[in-house]
Amino acid sequence: MPAAPPNKPKLVSLEAGRKYAWCSCGQSAAQPFCDGSHKGTDKTPIVFAAKHSGETLLCQCKETKSPPYCDGSHNNLDDGYELASIEEIEATKGAEDVARTGGKFGLSMLYGGAFALTPAPDDRCDDGDLQWAALINAANGAANLHVFEFTIGQETEWRVHDECDVVFFVASGAGAIEINGSRACLFSETGACVKRGEAFRFLPSETMYVIAAVSPGGGAFKKIARPSKTSIAINDRIVAVDPANRKSMADRFYQELVDHHAGAENITQFIGEVPKSRAAFHRHLYEEAIYIISGSGILWTRGSRTNVSAGDILYLPARQEHSLECTSDDGLRLMGVLYPSGSPAINY
Ligand code: FES
């Protein structure tokens, strides 16, 4: 019997409707499931029925606040957040250094489907009222998570996305957004959610650079004459950085900005701070896109690497083994979006 369970979640495959018994005492030799070892302790297993068929991450450290599922609490245990070992650093010394191609967006395609790109003004389409580019989509191998950029220097026309919620991040600039006739202020590092079918327009007071995530699938933004509904409550849709909502993950920090509380059904948006360090290779069950706000570093996959810095966009397929190393003394500041929704603290 293990004296202490591993400080990592276990990836398991569950069948919808089937009941499972999760070990809560930590003594089971069949982690994360119960094998009866709790007898004689004051613990009992948690019996649960799987809601969906498929892979999920069950807690093994027994510190989760949402048993039986991992909620990332393991990261804050001693040795819970794993940095790259000397052996791992040695083993990746021969990784191919993939430079930007020099083609559209200067794409660096890494092994396994992850990539980094550097948006450039010349690559943007001019729509008259704004300039835009599709940065992450099926054309460069993204499965479901699509990301656009908008440069907005004047009041825009009304637009709508009929297929998906849209999650915006104001990377720089300031102004306002109107959603179906209700207006809210936007400023740098604000997130905003526009629900599927809602009309929106931007009213910048200074040029705004905005990253937009749409998922699943890309679809199209359509211009419309005016919104059919005039007024809705949108206060919860706009989320700003708030030190009170900062969560720690060892010596890293993150804050969820737009998620289901702000109306986004499929996407979680967060802002993160990474100190100078290199995490051990890890995976997530979700696709992830990252916009680097400040700092520089190296995106690693097994066998390949590329340098990244402020203004770059990164894409990580679901289950892609990777590490984002921070090489800046001042750390990396980034905005991430996850599809399906999840927590940036949950990895395996
Ligand atoms: S393994 Fe326990 S919270 Fe992640």
Side-chain angles (χ1 to χ4, degrees):
M1 288 188 296
N7 288 346
K8 286 277 177 194
K10 181 83 177 267
L11 183 68
V12 297
S13 197
L14 304 181
E15 281 174 41
R18 187 172 157 188
K19 287 190 173 171
Y20 300 86
W22 175 77
C23 166
S24 66
C25 73
Q27 297 302 308
S28 171
Q31 294 293 336
F33 300 112
C34 173
D35 70 352
S37 297
H38 60 277
K39 287 193 183 86
T41 74
D42 60 352
K43 305 275 188 186
T44 51
I46 290 180
V47 177
F48 68 101
K51 288 193 184 122
H52 311 283
S53 290
E55 290 183 322
T56 193
L57 290 165
L58 296 187
C59 171
Q60 296 197 106
C61 75
K62 315 306 173 190
E63 294 293 325
T64 179
K65 311 287 183 301
S66 56
Y69 302 101
C70 171
D71 69 352
S73 295
H74 62 271
N75 290 304
N76 288 321
L77 299 173
D78 286 346
D79 300 325
Y81 194 87
E82 201 180 347
L83 295 174
S85 64
I86 292 167
E87 294 75 23
E88 186 171 293
I89 291 169
E90 279 298 315
T92 52
K93 276 195 170 152
E96 182 185 354
D97 189 355
V98 184
R100 299 292 189 273
T101 57
K104 199 168 187 188
F105 303 127
L107 189 69
S108 291
M109 186 63 73
L110 302 185
Y111 296 170
F115 61 79
L117 56 80
T118 305
D122 289 350
D123 294 328
R124 291 175 187 140
C125 305
D126 191 347
D127 238 6
D129 59 335
L130 57 78
Q131 288 72 50
W132 67 276
L135 301 177
I136 296 176
N137 57 22
N140 47 30
N144 297 290
L145 183 56
H146 291 206
V147 173
F148 299 81
E149 61 163 17
F150 296 101
T151 303
I152 306 161
Q154 64 186 75
E155 185 176 308
T156 68
E157 297 181 51
W158 288 98
R159 284 176 173 75
V160 68
H161 200 296
D162 284 329
E163 295 169 40
C164 310
D165 301 339
V166 186
V167 175
F168 292 110
F169 177 75
V170 182
S172 62
I177 187 170
E178 247 176 61
I179 306 173
N180 277 2
S182 298
R183 187 176 296 195
C185 289
L186 294 179
F187 41 90
S188 184
E189 298 197 354
T190 308
C193 174
V194 174
K195 303 272 302 166
R196 173 167 53 101
E198 291 178 345
F200 66 93
R201 65 173 176 166
F202 289 97
L203 304 99
S205 52
E206 57 185 76
T207 298
M208 298 166 76
Y209 180 61
V210 175
I211 306 289
V214 178
S215 198
F221 292 95
K222 284 189 317 198
K223 285 185 185 176
I224 59 169
R226 65 176 62 86
S228 51
K229 293 178 193 161
T230 52
S231 182
I232 56 171
I234 62 167
N235 284 351
D236 291 349
R237 307 287 194 84
I238 315 296
V239 188
V241 172
D242 181 350
N245 293 328
R246 210 162 163 251
K247 296 176 184 168
S248 66
M249 200 166 76
D251 56 356
R252 293 147 193 255
F253 293 93
Y254 69 94
Q255 181 198 332
E256 280 129 354
L257 291 178
V258 172
D259 60 7
H260 62 280
H261 298 291
E265 285 173 25
N266 297 312
I267 290 178
T268 299
Q269 178 195 60
F270 70 96
I271 198 150
E273 298 167 32
V274 181
K276 189 174 186 179
S277 60
R278 177 170 164 186
F281 277 120
H282 59 275
R283 301 176 169 92
H284 306 283
L285 287 177
Y286 43 71
E287 289 174 68
E288 182 171 12
I290 291 171
Y291 168 73
I292 298 187
I293 299 169
S294 64
S296 54
I298 301 169
L299 177 61
W300 296 88
T301 67
R302 292 277 180 193
S304 61
R305 53 170 279 180
T306 194
N307 292 336
V308 296
S309 57
D312 286 351
I313 293 271
L314 284 46
Y315 173 74
L316 298 160
R319 298 173 173 76
Q320 160 86 62
E321 198 173 38
H322 68 276
S323 169
L324 177 58
E325 177 179 3
C326 169
T327 56
S328 300
D329 290 338
D330 292 340
L332 266 179
R333 187 169 178 80
L334 53 87
M335 182 279 297
V337 281
L338 317 175
Y339 171 84
S341 305
S343 164
I346 300 177
N347 53 45
Y348 69 102

